[in-house]
Amino acid sequence: MQKSLHIDANKCTGCLQCEMACSYENYGVFNIAKSRIKIFSFEHIGRKVPYTCTQCAEAWCMNACPVDAIRVDAGTGAKIVNEAICVGCKVCTIACPFGTVNYVAETGKVQKCDLCGGDPACASACPTGAITYVDADWTGLDKMRAWAGKTDSATRASA
Amino acid sequence: MAWTRKILRVDLSSGACKSEPLNMEWAQQYLGQRGLATKYFISEVDPKVDPLSAANKLIMTTGPLTGTPASTGGRYSVVTKGALTGAIACSNSGGYFGAELKFAGWDMIIFEGKSAKPVYLAIENDKAELKDAAHLWGKTVWQTEEIIKKSHQDPQTRVCSIGRAGENGVMYACIVNDLHRAAGRSGVGTVMGSKNLKAVAVRGTQGVSILKDAKAFMSAATAAKKVLADNAVTGQGLPTYGTQVLMNVINEMGALPTRNHRDSQFEDARKISAEAMVEKRPSDGKSHLVTNNACFGCTIACGRISRIDETHFSVVNKPEYWGASGGLEYEAAWALGAANGVGDLEALQYANLICNEDGFDPISFGATVGAAMELYEMGILTEKQIGMAAPFGSAKALCELAQMTARGEGFGKELGLGSARLCEKYGKPELSMGVKKQEFPAYDSRGIQGMGLAYATSNRGACHLRGYTVASEVLGIPVKTDPLVTEGKADLVKAFQDATAVFDSAGVCVFTTFAWTLADLQPQLDAACEGDWTMEKLAVVGERIWNMERQFNNAAGFTAKDDDLPPRLKTEPVKTGPAKGLVSGIDKMLPEYYQARGWDANGVPGKETLKRLGL
C-alpha cells in the first residue's frame, strides 16, 4: 500500500514537535530552521497549519530539474533529491507551485520532504494526530467517518 | 549540547555586546535558567540596589532543555531585582522566544547599565547589536513586534518587548513575547523600561545538537510525553478547558477570593469559567473560545485563543480587537473577574487583551483594581478621584481602568503603583492583598492552607508558581492532603518549592508537574546534560537555589516579618462554603517551615544548612 502524509490543521496546536523531529531525522540537530515541514500560524483567526510537500504524482520539481537530481522512490512514492547530483540551480523551487522545495545556502543544494524512507518523523512526533501517515488512496477516510457519524438517523430512531 | 556554553553580555550604557563563556562549574551546581541566572545575578549585583537604577541588571535566560523536543522545552526566564517587590524576581515565559534564543547559540543575555536613549537588541545567531528604538517607543507590544518583523524583513524573527506600561513605569509591567506570552510578574518589564530597552529580536538558525546521549534523551523524552498524554489533567483537562478548568472547582471549595478577599466564593464564577468559554453566545452564536494553543515543544497545549464578542460595549467601535487573541487563562480571569466581583466574561477578555497589548500583569492589575474598588466603597476614594464610579462588579470601570493604566492616564497612574503602594498612599495598607508588595493569585489562603504558607515564603512575593500545593490539596497530586488543615504543610510547601526550582531551571514548564515528578524529568536531564544528574543531585540543586534566593532577599533587607499574610486572612473568617469559619494558620505554619528548612527563627538559613548545600 502506498501511503501519504495527511494533515488535519484543526488538530494542530503549534508546538513544533514535527519541525524538531524533521531536523533531527535529517540533520541530527534540533533546529526548526532546517525543517522540511513548517507550521504556519494565522494569529488573527487562531489557526495553525502544518505544511509540507504533497509528493505530486506529476511532480513539477522533478520535471523541471535539468540534471535529473529528483527521482521517485519506488517504495514510498516520495520525490527525493539526490544531493550528489543536485547543482543548486533552484529551478525546482520556482517550478513547485506550493513552495515546498527550498534552497539551503549552507550546502548549496535544495531540500524537500522525502517521507523519511516510509516512516515520517513528523507524524510520529505529532502529539495530536494533526499529521498522520495513511493509505494514500484513502486520505479522506477519517473525514468520511466523521460525517457518516453526523448523518441524520432521526427516522430510524423514532421508528 | 544542552548548554550552548555562551553568554551574551550587553552593556546598555556603552552599547557594547560581547560573548563570554558560560561558567560550567556553576552550571553543574545550579543547572540553568532560574538557578544559574540567579547565581550570576547575585554574584554581580548589590542586593540593596534600587531596582530601577542603572546598577540593577536584567538577565534573560534559557535552560538546558530549552530548544529540545522535551515536552514544554521552550521556556525562558527573566531574572532581576523586581520593581514591584524589591525582592529577587524570576518570571518565566513560554511561546517561541526562548527556543529561538537558544537556537541563536545563547544560554543567557545579561543586560547591565542603562541606555541614554531607547534601543532594542537585535540578535542573528552570533551577531548581536543594539539598534535605535526611537520609532518603537510609545508603541504597544503588538505594534512593536510587527514593526520589527517588517523592518528585518524576516517573519521568522521572534520578539519580546515591553509595551507602554513598561515605558510608563507601571510597577507590575511584563515582558511579552510572541504576542500573548509573558514573563509576567514582579515588574520585570518595569526594570527593562527603566533601562530604555524596548525589545529583543532574535533569529537563530543553529539549533541544539550534541546532547550527552541523544538516543537516550529521545527515548526519555518520548516516555515522559506519554506520561503527560495519559494523565487526566495534562492529557485531557488542560488541553480541553485550559487552566480555566479550575474556576468552578476552586469556587466550590470556597477558596476563590472575591471582592478583594472579602468573600471566598463568587456568585458569578460559572459565567467566567472554562465551561462558559465554550458555550455559544446569544449575540453571535459563536463560542468565546476559538482553539487551544501550545507553546514551543509543548504536548499539553493549555493555552487559550479566544474571540471577543464584537457587540460587547468594550470593543463595539474597535475592530482591531475583534480578531482571535490570547486568553483567558485562570489567574487572569480570576484577578480581572472574581477579585473585583465582575462576572462579565467579555469584559475580562477585553481587560486581558489590554494587559497583553501594553504589557502588564493581569494578576497584579486586577487585584489592584479590587483594592481600589474597596477603597471606593469605603468612601476613601471618590468618583472624582477615579474619574468614574467604581463599585465592585463594574465591568465598565474595569475596562476603562485597564486602558488608563496602559496609557498612564489619570487614575491609571495610581493603579500602576500596585495595591501595596496604592493602599499605603490612602492610609489603608492592610487592604493590599499580597505578600512583599506582590498581589495574591487565585487561591484563598484560608480555604487552601498550604497556599498561604507558599505565598508568605515565596522568594518573589505572593505567587502560585513557586510552590503549587493546590496540586496536592485540591487535585491530589502526588498525594491528597486536606486543604483545611495546617498539619504537614510546612514539609509539603518545602518539597514543592525545591522541586519547582529544578523544573524552572531545566527549561520546561511547571505545568508538567501535574503529571511528572522529578523522576520523570531526571532521565531527560541526565541524557541531555554533561555530568551525572542523579535524583539526589537534583534534590540538592532545588534546595540550593531556594536558599540562594532567600539569602539575596535577606541581604536586600527582608526579614521574617515580611513572610506574613494581610490581617484580613488571619482575622476575618471565611463566610461561606466548605472552609466557612476558617482563617489562615500562617502563624502556626511559619515556624514549622523555618525548622523544616533549617533556618533560624528570623528566617535566616543556618550554618549547617548552608554548608550542606554548598552555599
Side-chain angles (χ1 to χ4, degrees):
Chain A
M1 176 190 17
Q2 187 164 320
K3 295 173 91 172
S4 75
L5 281 175
H6 182 56
I7 308 281
D8 182 350
N10 288 329
K11 291 182 179 167
C12 179
T13 61
C15 74
L16 311 192
Q17 285 283 352
C18 56
E19 296 196 22
M20 280 187 282
C22 180
S23 65
Y24 183 67
E25 175 74 21
N26 292 298
Y27 299 99
V29 57
F30 307 122
N31 186 357
I32 58 174
K34 291 192 168 177
S35 174
R36 297 163 182 183
I37 185 166
K38 297 300 287 180
I39 306 302
F40 294 90
S41 183
F42 300 91
E43 306 285 352
H44 296 290
I45 52 169
R47 198 166 156 80
K48 277 99 31 184
V49 184
Y51 206 81
T52 189
C53 173
T54 56
Q55 314 293 350
C56 307
E58 291 285 334
W60 279 267
C61 62
M62 191 167 69
N63 291 334
C65 180
V67 292
D68 282 341
I70 301 177
R71 304 271 176 85
V72 186
D73 181 279
T76 62
K79 313 302 176 290
I80 295 175
V81 178
N82 185 333
E83 285 203 2
I85 300 173
C86 174
V87 295
C89 72
K90 311 181 198 69
V91 169
C92 57
T93 68
I94 299 166
C96 174
F98 309 107
T100 56
V101 195
N102 284 283
Y103 181 64
V104 182
E106 198 181 318
T107 57
K109 314 286 180 183
V110 296
Q111 70 163 2
K112 65 178 288 303
C113 170
D114 61 5
L115 295 177
C116 298
D119 183 14
C122 55
S124 309
C126 179
T128 63
I131 308 166
T132 48
Y133 192 53
V134 299
D135 184 345
D137 291 345
W138 285 102
T139 53
L141 199 64
D142 277 348
K143 218 179 269 180
M144 285 172 78
R145 184 182 292 114
W147 281 104
K150 288 181 194 170
T151 302
D152 187 2
S153 53
T155 318
R156 196 175 50 184
S158 61
Chain B
M1 58 203 91
W3 297 278
T4 69
R5 296 174 178 249
K6 260 173 43 194
I7 290 178
L8 177 61
R9 188 177 293 273
V10 179
D11 183 343
L12 291 160
S13 300
S14 73
C17 301
K18 61 175 196 236
S19 170
E20 281 176 22
L22 184 74
N23 185 326
M24 289 309 292
E25 201 181 312
W26 285 355
Q28 288 296 323
Q29 292 162 355
Y30 298 93
L31 187 54
Q33 203 159 329
R34 173 175 160 193
L36 189 53
T38 305
K39 175 65 180 169
Y40 269 89
F41 186 81
I42 66 165
S43 304
E44 299 185 9
V45 178
D46 176 0
K48 302 268 189 207
V49 75
D50 172 357
L52 299 180
S53 70
N56 194 9
K57 298 191 184 187
L58 182 138
I59 304 180
M60 293 182 178
T61 171
T62 63
L65 297 185
T66 307
T68 74
S71 186
T72 76
R75 310 296 298 191
Y76 97 105
S77 291
V78 180
V79 171
T80 187
K81 183 170 174 176
L84 183 68
T85 56
I88 190 77
C90 175
S91 293
N92 184 308
S93 181
Y96 303 97
F97 177 83
E100 195 75 18
L101 180 60
K102 187 79 169 280
F103 291 158
W106 303 102
D107 287 317
M108 61 176 92
I109 314 171
I110 301 178
F111 292 99
E112 49 195 36
K114 174 182 176 169
S115 173
K117 57 181 179 55
V119 289
Y120 76 99
L121 177 68
I123 299 175
E124 191 187 341
N125 293 326
D126 300 333
K127 215 178 84 195
E129 60 172 330
L130 288 170
K131 293 188 167 190
D132 180 59
H135 63 300
L136 299 173
W137 207 253
K139 296 283 192 285
T140 69
V141 164
W142 297 350
Q143 291 167 332
T144 301
E145 189 165 330
E146 192 181 342
I147 294 168
I148 289 178
K149 284 181 176 179
K150 268 195 187 139
S151 69
H152 286 213
Q153 297 183 318
D154 185 359
Q156 298 187 80
T157 293
R158 301 292 184 185
V159 178
C160 76
S161 65
I162 55 165
R164 290 177 292 183
E167 297 176 10
N168 294 336
V170 169
M171 295 300 275
Y172 42 84
C174 315
I175 302 171
V176 181
N177 59 286
D178 304 292
L179 301 177
H180 38 66
R181 308 310 309 184
R185 302 222 70 193
S186 312
V188 296
T190 323
V191 174
M192 186 160 158
S194 76
K195 297 188 171 305
N196 274 327
L197 177 63
K198 177 68 180 176
V200 179
V202 56
R203 177 83 167 109
T205 60
Q206 302 181 118
V208 171
S209 57
I210 332 176
L211 300 183
K212 187 174 83 182
D213 183 343
K215 224 173 160 181
F217 172 76
M218 289 305 273
S219 106
T222 303
K225 281 175 195 164
K226 189 167 184 311
V227 173
L228 293 176
D230 292 345
N231 180 279
V233 177
T234 52
Q236 292 160 34
L238 285 174
T240 309
Y241 293 112
T243 52
Q244 272 273 66
V245 71
L246 286 168
M247 186 65 75
N248 287 321
V249 175
I250 302 297
N251 191 49
E252 276 159 32
M253 290 183 69
L256 190 73
T258 301
R259 290 175 282 271
N260 206 33
H261 286 65
R262 277 183 172 179
D263 300 300
S264 304
Q265 287 187 310
F266 183 38
E267 61 282 4
D268 284 339
R270 206 192 170 286
K271 290 189 191 165
I272 61 169
S273 67
E275 289 81 354
M277 286 172 71
V278 297
E279 277 166 15
K280 289 199 172 18
R281 291 187 286 240
S283 59
D284 60 3
K286 291 175 187 162
S287 64
H288 187 78
L289 183 72
V290 175
T291 183
N292 66 336
N293 196 47
C295 295
F296 183 94
C298 175
T299 58
I300 304 172
C302 75
R304 302 291 97 180
I305 299 292
S306 300
R307 196 185 289 111
I308 206 164
D309 183 347
E310 293 173 16
T311 64
H312 188 260
F313 75 82
S314 60
V315 295
V316 72
N317 291 315
K318 301 173 186 166
E320 65 270 31
Y321 295 108
W322 293 354
S325 196
L328 286 160
E329 319 292 343
Y330 171 61
E331 303 295 334
W334 164 79
L336 301 166
N340 308 313
V342 176
D344 177 344
L345 184 71
E346 307 297 335
L348 307 193
Q349 175 66 355
Y350 177 72
N352 187 63
L353 289 177
I354 299 298
C355 288
N356 284 341
E357 185 183 28
D358 265 309
F360 54 109
D361 172 16
I363 302 180
S364 283
F365 168 71
T368 303
V369 170
M373 284 178 168
E374 181 156 10
L375 290 169
Y376 174 83
E377 296 215 336
M378 292 167 81
I380 295 171
L381 280 171
T382 63
E383 190 170 332
K384 197 171 165 222
Q385 280 169 302
I386 299 178
M388 70 198 78
F392 280 124
S394 173
K396 195 161 170 295
L398 173 74
C399 293
E400 286 198 22
L401 291 170
Q403 279 172 203
M404 288 160 67
T405 303
R407 297 171 189 161
E409 294 170 355
F411 191 71
K413 271 268 180 216
E414 304 209 14
L415 287 175
L417 295 170
S419 68
R421 290 169 176 87
L422 182 81
C423 293
E424 178 84 43
K425 182 173 174 179
Y426 290 98
K428 290 280 173 194
E430 69 277 13
L431 290 185
S432 168
M433 293 298 129
V435 174
K436 298 181 179 72
K437 296 197 174 74
Q438 177 157 287
E439 292 74 12
F440 291 122
Y443 315 87
D444 196 310
S445 309
R446 294 166 292 192
I448 307 176
Q449 292 282 331
M451 283 311 285
L453 181 61
Y455 293 154
T457 59
S458 158
N459 287 326
R460 69 166 187 176
C463 171
H464 57 297
L465 295 171
R466 283 296 173 275
Y468 193 69
T469 61
V470 171
S472 167
E473 294 177 277
V474 180
L475 304 168
I477 300 165
V479 286
K480 184 77 176 79
T481 52
D482 184 350
L484 304 179
V485 305
T486 60
E487 282 75 36
K489 296 299 161 64
D491 288 327
L492 186 73
V493 167
K494 177 183 179 293
F496 269 85
Q497 288 173 336
D498 292 349
T500 303
V502 176
F503 279 82
D504 284 347
S505 301
V508 297
C509 176
V510 73
F511 284 8
T512 56
T513 60
F514 285 116
W516 290 356
T517 64
L518 271 184
D520 297 290
L521 182 64
Q522 182 269 336
Q524 302 181 77
L525 282 171
D526 191 47
C529 304
E530 293 93 327
D532 203 10
W533 293 89
T534 62
M535 288 289 286
E536 295 72 25
K537 177 168 167 175
L538 288 173
V540 174
V541 166
E543 194 177 356
R544 182 183 293 137
I545 292 166
W546 191 267
N547 279 271
M548 167 178 66
E549 293 171 339
R550 177 74 183 190
Q551 282 184 297
F552 178 88
N553 283 350
N554 285 344
F558 288 92
T559 67
K561 283 206 299 274
D562 299 299
D563 295 343
D564 203 0
L565 301 176
R568 171 165 287 170
L569 302 182
K570 301 203 288 182
T571 58
E572 295 178 26
V574 172
K575 296 171 194 159
T576 60
K580 188 174 174 180
L582 283 183
V583 295
S584 169
I586 183 65
D587 293 336
K588 185 169 177 298
M589 291 185 284
L590 193 65
E592 295 170 0
Y593 171 84
Y594 284 176
Q595 196 174 13
R597 280 252 170 244
W599 297 354
D600 70 15
N602 296 314
V604 177
K607 277 207 180 95
E608 276 198 8
T609 305
L610 295 177
K611 196 177 158 207
R612 179 169 59 79
L613 298 172
L615 285 165

